[in-house]
């Protein structure tokens, strides 16, 4: 394949991160306007209200497992290991991140969130295994 197809899921994940930053800003501004928290409280990150804390935690989560996703996609591209399966897996991973984030910033129900995280974990592991096999065979 060796086109740029493997980078579209990365860009989709970047869009998710930017969307979460926007949502965090909106929720924080709403709470400051409502007087439920002082703007200065955010400077030292004390007492984050639950409404914005869920978004903040979700945002932090996008810089954990997804970092390995970005590295894997770049290595798949560099080693010419990209194919329809790896691109498909990349899209599945990103779709799972969107679903996980949607639950995280709304109901935050672990019974729904955890299986989505686990599925993304398995999909990403599959991508890394494919990369290792590709390099070992090459």
């Amino acid at each position: 394949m060796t086109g740029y197809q493997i980078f579209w899921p990365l860009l989709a994940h970047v869009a998710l991160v930017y969307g979460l930053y926007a949502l965090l800003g909106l929720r924080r501004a709403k709470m400051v306007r409502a007087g439920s928290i002082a703007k200065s409280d955010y400077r030292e990150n004390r007492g984050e209200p639950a409404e914005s804390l869920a978004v903040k935690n979700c945002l932090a989560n996008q810089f954990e497992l997804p970092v390995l996703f970005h590295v894997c996609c770049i290595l798949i591209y560099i080693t010419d290991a990209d194919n329809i399966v790896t691109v498909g897996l990349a899209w599945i991973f990103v779709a799972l991140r969107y679903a996980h984030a949607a639950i995280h910033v709304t109901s935050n129900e672990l019974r729904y969130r955890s299986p989505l995280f686990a599925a993304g974990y398995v999909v990403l592991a599959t991508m890394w295994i494919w990369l290792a096999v590709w390099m070992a065979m090459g």
Side-chain angles (χ1 to χ4, degrees), residues 84-95:
I84 192 73
V85 174
T86 56
V87 172
L89 288 170
W91 277 115
I92 291 168
F93 179 82
V94 170

Side-chain angles (χ1 to χ4, degrees), residues 26-137:
L26 290 171
R27 286 193 181 178
R28 283 179 168 177
K30 177 183 172 186
M31 288 180 287
V32 168
R33 279 193 308 275
S36 55
I37 192 165
K39 194 176 190 179
S40 61
D41 288 339
Y42 291 118
R43 181 177 45 242
E44 296 187 22
N45 226 359
R46 296 175 297 178
E48 181 98 33
E51 187 178 348
S52 58
L53 182 61
V55 181
K56 180 181 167 195
N57 290 341
C58 181
L59 189 55
N61 191 256
Q62 301 310 314
F63 295 95
E64 295 170 356
L65 191 61
V67 170
L68 296 176
F69 168 70
H70 286 259
V71 171
C72 187
C73 287
I74 292 166
L75 290 173
I76 284 172
Y77 177 78
I78 289 171
T79 61
D80 293 332
D82 55 331
N83 58 32
I84 192 73
V85 174
T86 56
V87 172
L89 288 170
W91 277 115
I92 291 168
F93 179 82
V94 170
L96 289 166
R97 295 308 304 165
Y98 269 84
H100 181 269
I103 291 168
H104 205 158
V105 301
T106 56
S107 69
N108 204 12
E109 287 283 336
L110 283 177
R111 66 182 168 169
Y112 302 121
R113 220 177 83 204
S114 291
L116 292 169
F117 179 86
Y121 176 88
V122 170
V123 168
L124 183 55
T126 304
M127 291 176 67
W128 279 104
I129 290 167
W130 164 250
L131 176 62
V133 168
W134 176 264
M135 291 188 311
M137 304 294 272

